[in-house]
Amino acid sequence: MDSRYDFKLSEEKIYKLWEEADAFNPDSVLKLRQNDADNPDSVLKLRQADAFNPDSKIELQKDKNNQPNKGTAVATGNKFSIVLPPPNANDPLHVGHAMYVVEDVMIRYHRMLGDDTLWIPGTDHAGIETQFVFEKKLKKEGKSRFNFDRKSLYQMIWQYVQENSEVAVDQLKKLGFSLDWSRFKFTLDEDIVAEVLETFQSLYRDGLIYRDFKLVNYCTKCGTSYSELEVDHVERIDPLYTIQYGPLQVSTVRPETIFGDVAIAVNPNDPRYKEYVGKHLEVEFPWGKKTMIVIADEYVDPKFGTGAVKVTPYHDANDFQMWETHKNEIIEQPIPVIDTSGKIINSPDKYNNLGVVNAREAVLKDYKSYKTAEGKSLLISVNEKYTHSVGTCYRCGRLIEPLPLPQFFIKVADDKINLVQNALNALDTNETKIFGAGREKILRHWLNNLKDWNISRQITWGISIPVWYKTDGNEENIIVNFLDKENQYQTGLLSDWLKTYSLEEIKQNIQSISANISVPYSVSVNEPTDGNYIQESDTFDTWFSSSQWPIVTLKTNNKSDFERFYPLSVMETGYDILPFWVMRMMMLGIYMTNKSPFENVYLHGLIRDEKGKKMSKSKGNVINPIEVKSEFGADALRMALIIRSTPGQDKSVGKPDFKAMRNLTNKTWNAARFIIMMTEEPHDKTVTENSPLDQEFDQKLNDIIVEVTQHFSNLKVGLAAEVVYNEFWHWFCDICIEKSKDGDVSLKKLSYGLITFLKLLHPFMPFVTETIWQELLEKKVVKNKLLIVSDWPTPVS
RNA sequence: GAACUUGUAGCUCAGUUGGUUAGAGCGCUUCGUUGACAUCGAAGAGGUCAGAGGUUCGAGUCCUCUCAAGUUCACCA
């Protein structure tokens, strides 16, 4: 053995060794162990050194007690299952993904324990993210999504993702993850999609799906709507304009929405405005006059501004709410005055087609120059330093535009089937336990305040919603966007285009459609045959399919997998996607199976740099796990991430940590090297057995095994790592090996200790420990062919 | 406005159901090492565990309050 451990020589080789043995597949593991026991080379043909092997010791004891020798494999009869949170198929891994090492550590421990252990890999199509990246690529080529019909665009993105999908998988392997690759799934695999569509239909049958014309959060840059959770609220300073509004005055930061106003609202108890309530007032604008009713609503705060609010139902969520409440009083019908591209519509000609920012300036300019017949200005005052918070797109950072669109929603708290309540119950009964500093309370808070979930996304890369609109008789209520015979983008009413194109031609080249809320639809995977239909062009929110991941991955693999491994033992992920993913997995999981999809949720913290600062590209402190791996080895990276980590708490790591753990791999290597050397050529003072401190040694080692095992079973992997590290280095190496040089600890105990520590260290540092194991195997010090499937140490009396 | 988390050595963090002299890595001081490892070893300095009060035989750990930092949510005409 070399005096230094060179991870570059072994990592790839060792991973291959495991893969070729099929050691990650629960269907093979038991066989592997049993086969090994049947191997004549490994049964009781012991050299002297083999007596040091705890495996053979147990066996010898068993033989003594006249028990049948079944080999070393101990099946506990328990199962242990995890599904990897699927990384984006076309993105390289970042440190967050490297934190999945927590899962590998748990998986390796349980596999060695003898549990029926499964870890399923997969990748996510990441609808919006991926389409966005792809569109950027198109832009570089001078094209956009409007140059392609739906089908072609989908095919192109599929191709693009395929080309890149090896990257993530390859990197997961580089980190040593013992995922069962034979069960790999992609969120757009046919069988997965079929399951997801079935869930949607089932939800629809149960009355939990509805289509509604509501204000949704729309990003005009990304061209799609979002759910409430995907909106980031940020503080901004904007001017607040107070304008004359008939006899009253109102304030607004968005004068460009004024064209969509339908009423004025005041607080019912405000003495200043009591006389106006219910009255129709004439309001003068620079572009004309309009009559509007005054309504009374508790929502209006009399202390804010003038205490009177203009009501713009289609471009403000609160106004929409007030309009719904007072629908019957308000005569004026609301109309959208901003479209999905962020341009003004349905307004005086001079403003139409302006973007919202330009429109605002234009409106203000006209207000400033306009004088009433009495010579007064309509612009009363401007507060330049008004602080408020606005919704922005979590991805591109642009302002979110509340727009009225017909979308599909999931009822989260239906009277009959209450998804939220079911999830809360699972928490109450401890069916699912949350590990992560106070995150359970946060999860409950989310659940208690959850709104219905908008699952429609106006993008192509995803699973199409299985909804068909009847075109017969509804041609005037459906807008189609498609490519004409010259491959030019066209938009307009279906009724108009049917004059020059057949419905089939339009459907073939469709980009998107927009059906009025009144158009009847049917829910089915295939096109209905009782007339002419056109399919909804929206796709599901990616989280809708991700939320079914634990179930659909198990159901689409081996038939028995679902029975065998559901619910998952652990769901491990970052706390940042608790509401997006974990919460929804619980809601849909319980809906689909009547069981919470996982017993434990382990939430790892964010990885920060060595100074505790958040990583960001602009700061240049981003750690690339693959770079760290090539410099220090996968084992060092893994150990550095896991040691002393606590669920729910952020973790700082940096070069000093990687270096320290790289040293640990080397220390392990050298401890093994020393013991092998001593076994082969003992020194003068070396004692092979019965040294004065041997009994003490056994006691201490037993204590360590018990302590580490306890930490594992309590999901305290960070602590387990710390204990193993300290005891291995500062007790086993610094004390025991040193004392053995004076004959105070016997070689027999050292060998036993080494093998035990290799096992205890293996979940954290699989490569170096397996590499050493292979050396020991060659020298017949150990018997099991692979450390990865050898038995977890038990205290020996 | 509210909730949650955090405050332990110079820095980054552990501390398992409350139990002797509070731990690790990095950094620092002194010394050692010609046969496991300088990617090493030994010895050491450095902490009234944010502050105050309480429960207890006993509190870093449980409770209350105060201060500070961070995260998130809600409102915002």
Short mmCIF file of all heavy atoms in Angstrom, two decimals, chain A residues 31 43 134 237 310-311 389 402 407 448 472 489 550 555 570 642 743 770 772:
data_model
loop_
_atom_site.label_atom_id
_atom_site.label_comp_id
_atom_site.label_asym_id
_atom_site.label_seq_id
_atom_site.Cartn_x
_atom_site.Cartn_y
_atom_site.Cartn_z
N LYS A 31 -29.14 -11.65 -1.91
CA LYS A 31 -28.46 -12.71 -2.66
C LYS A 31 -26.96 -12.54 -2.57
O LYS A 31 -26.22 -13.50 -2.39
CB LYS A 31 -28.89 -12.66 -4.13
CG LYS A 31 -29.98 -13.67 -4.47
CD LYS A 31 -30.28 -13.62 -5.96
CE LYS A 31 -31.45 -12.69 -6.24
NZ LYS A 31 -31.58 -12.33 -7.64
N VAL A 43 -15.72 -19.47 3.68
CA VAL A 43 -16.28 -20.16 4.83
C VAL A 43 -15.18 -20.81 5.66
O VAL A 43 -14.55 -21.80 5.27
CB VAL A 43 -17.31 -21.23 4.39
CG1 VAL A 43 -17.90 -21.93 5.61
CG2 VAL A 43 -18.39 -20.58 3.58
N PHE A 134 -34.11 27.19 -22.64
CA PHE A 134 -34.16 26.84 -24.05
C PHE A 134 -34.49 28.06 -24.92
O PHE A 134 -33.93 28.25 -25.99
CB PHE A 134 -35.19 25.72 -24.29
CG PHE A 134 -35.16 25.20 -25.69
CD1 PHE A 134 -34.17 24.33 -26.10
CD2 PHE A 134 -36.12 25.61 -26.61
CE1 PHE A 134 -34.13 23.86 -27.40
CE2 PHE A 134 -36.08 25.15 -27.92
CZ PHE A 134 -35.08 24.27 -28.32
N ILE A 237 -39.85 51.64 -3.38
CA ILE A 237 -40.29 53.02 -3.19
C ILE A 237 -40.80 53.53 -4.52
O ILE A 237 -40.08 53.50 -5.53
CB ILE A 237 -39.14 53.91 -2.67
CG1 ILE A 237 -38.69 53.40 -1.30
CG2 ILE A 237 -39.57 55.36 -2.59
CD1 ILE A 237 -37.46 54.06 -0.76
N LYS A 310 -60.10 53.76 -5.59
CA LYS A 310 -60.67 53.41 -6.89
C LYS A 310 -60.62 51.90 -7.04
O LYS A 310 -59.67 51.26 -6.58
CB LYS A 310 -59.93 54.14 -8.02
CG LYS A 310 -58.51 53.68 -8.25
CD LYS A 310 -57.85 54.60 -9.27
CE LYS A 310 -56.59 53.95 -9.85
NZ LYS A 310 -56.86 52.77 -10.67
N VAL A 311 -61.62 51.33 -7.66
CA VAL A 311 -61.71 49.87 -7.74
C VAL A 311 -61.44 49.40 -9.17
O VAL A 311 -62.16 49.74 -10.10
CB VAL A 311 -63.12 49.40 -7.29
CG1 VAL A 311 -63.21 47.88 -7.38
CG2 VAL A 311 -63.40 49.87 -5.88
N SER A 389 -44.86 47.12 -0.89
CA SER A 389 -44.23 45.94 -1.45
C SER A 389 -45.02 45.43 -2.63
O SER A 389 -46.23 45.54 -2.68
CB SER A 389 -44.04 44.87 -0.37
OG SER A 389 -45.16 44.04 -0.30
N PRO A 402 -51.13 41.14 -11.94
CA PRO A 402 -52.36 40.37 -11.68
C PRO A 402 -53.27 40.50 -12.90
O PRO A 402 -53.62 41.61 -13.28
CB PRO A 402 -52.98 41.06 -10.46
CG PRO A 402 -51.96 42.05 -9.98
CD PRO A 402 -51.08 42.37 -11.14
N GLN A 407 -58.29 29.66 -15.52
CA GLN A 407 -57.25 28.70 -15.17
C GLN A 407 -57.86 27.54 -14.39
O GLN A 407 -58.94 27.65 -13.84
CB GLN A 407 -56.21 29.38 -14.26
CG GLN A 407 -55.62 30.65 -14.81
CD GLN A 407 -54.38 30.43 -15.62
OE1 GLN A 407 -53.33 30.17 -15.09
NE2 GLN A 407 -54.51 30.51 -16.93
N ASN A 448 -52.54 26.14 7.01
CA ASN A 448 -53.71 26.84 7.53
C ASN A 448 -54.09 28.06 6.70
O ASN A 448 -55.21 28.54 6.80
CB ASN A 448 -53.47 27.26 8.99
CG ASN A 448 -53.58 26.09 9.93
OD1 ASN A 448 -54.48 25.25 9.77
ND2 ASN A 448 -52.67 25.98 10.88
N ASP A 472 -67.67 23.18 -31.50
CA ASP A 472 -68.97 23.36 -32.16
C ASP A 472 -69.83 24.35 -31.39
O ASP A 472 -70.15 24.13 -30.22
CB ASP A 472 -69.71 22.02 -32.25
CG ASP A 472 -68.86 20.96 -32.93
OD1 ASP A 472 -68.17 21.30 -33.91
OD2 ASP A 472 -68.85 19.80 -32.45
N TYR A 489 -46.91 33.64 -37.51
CA TYR A 489 -47.71 33.60 -36.28
C TYR A 489 -49.03 34.33 -36.49
O TYR A 489 -49.04 35.47 -36.96
CB TYR A 489 -46.91 34.26 -35.17
CG TYR A 489 -47.64 34.39 -33.86
CD1 TYR A 489 -47.78 33.30 -33.02
CD2 TYR A 489 -48.17 35.62 -33.46
CE1 TYR A 489 -48.44 33.42 -31.80
CE2 TYR A 489 -48.84 35.74 -32.25
CZ TYR A 489 -48.98 34.64 -31.44
OH TYR A 489 -49.63 34.75 -30.24
N PRO A 550 -43.33 10.36 -5.05
CA PRO A 550 -43.09 9.14 -4.27
C PRO A 550 -43.99 7.99 -4.74
O PRO A 550 -43.56 6.83 -4.75
CB PRO A 550 -43.47 9.54 -2.84
CG PRO A 550 -43.38 11.01 -2.82
CD PRO A 550 -43.74 11.48 -4.20
N LYS A 555 -45.00 3.07 -8.28
CA LYS A 555 -46.02 2.34 -9.03
C LYS A 555 -45.56 1.96 -10.43
O LYS A 555 -46.06 0.99 -11.00
CB LYS A 555 -47.30 3.18 -9.13
CG LYS A 555 -48.09 3.15 -7.84
CD LYS A 555 -49.54 3.46 -8.07
CE LYS A 555 -50.36 3.07 -6.85
NZ LYS A 555 -51.67 3.74 -6.81
N VAL A 570 -38.17 7.98 4.64
CA VAL A 570 -37.66 9.33 4.82
C VAL A 570 -37.85 10.13 3.53
O VAL A 570 -37.66 9.59 2.44
CB VAL A 570 -36.15 9.33 5.18
CG1 VAL A 570 -35.59 10.74 5.19
CG2 VAL A 570 -35.91 8.66 6.53
N ILE A 642 -21.57 16.61 5.95
CA ILE A 642 -22.46 15.94 6.89
C ILE A 642 -22.06 16.14 8.34
O ILE A 642 -22.91 16.22 9.22
CB ILE A 642 -22.51 14.44 6.55
CG1 ILE A 642 -23.93 13.93 6.72
CG2 ILE A 642 -21.64 13.61 7.46
CD1 ILE A 642 -24.59 13.61 5.50
N GLY A 743 2.73 -2.83 23.27
CA GLY A 743 2.15 -4.12 23.62
C GLY A 743 0.98 -4.03 24.58
O GLY A 743 0.54 -5.03 25.13
N GLU A 770 -14.21 1.25 1.28
CA GLU A 770 -14.33 0.07 0.41
C GLU A 770 -12.98 -0.27 -0.22
O GLU A 770 -12.65 -1.44 -0.40
CB GLU A 770 -15.39 0.32 -0.66
CG GLU A 770 -15.69 -0.88 -1.56
CD GLU A 770 -16.53 -1.97 -0.87
OE1 GLU A 770 -17.77 -1.84 -0.80
OE2 GLU A 770 -15.91 -2.95 -0.41
N ILE A 772 -10.05 0.15 1.12
CA ILE A 772 -9.28 -0.57 2.14
C ILE A 772 -9.83 -1.98 2.31
O ILE A 772 -9.07 -2.95 2.43
CB ILE A 772 -9.34 0.20 3.49
CG1 ILE A 772 -8.63 1.54 3.35
CG2 ILE A 772 -8.72 -0.64 4.61
CD1 ILE A 772 -8.87 2.48 4.52
#
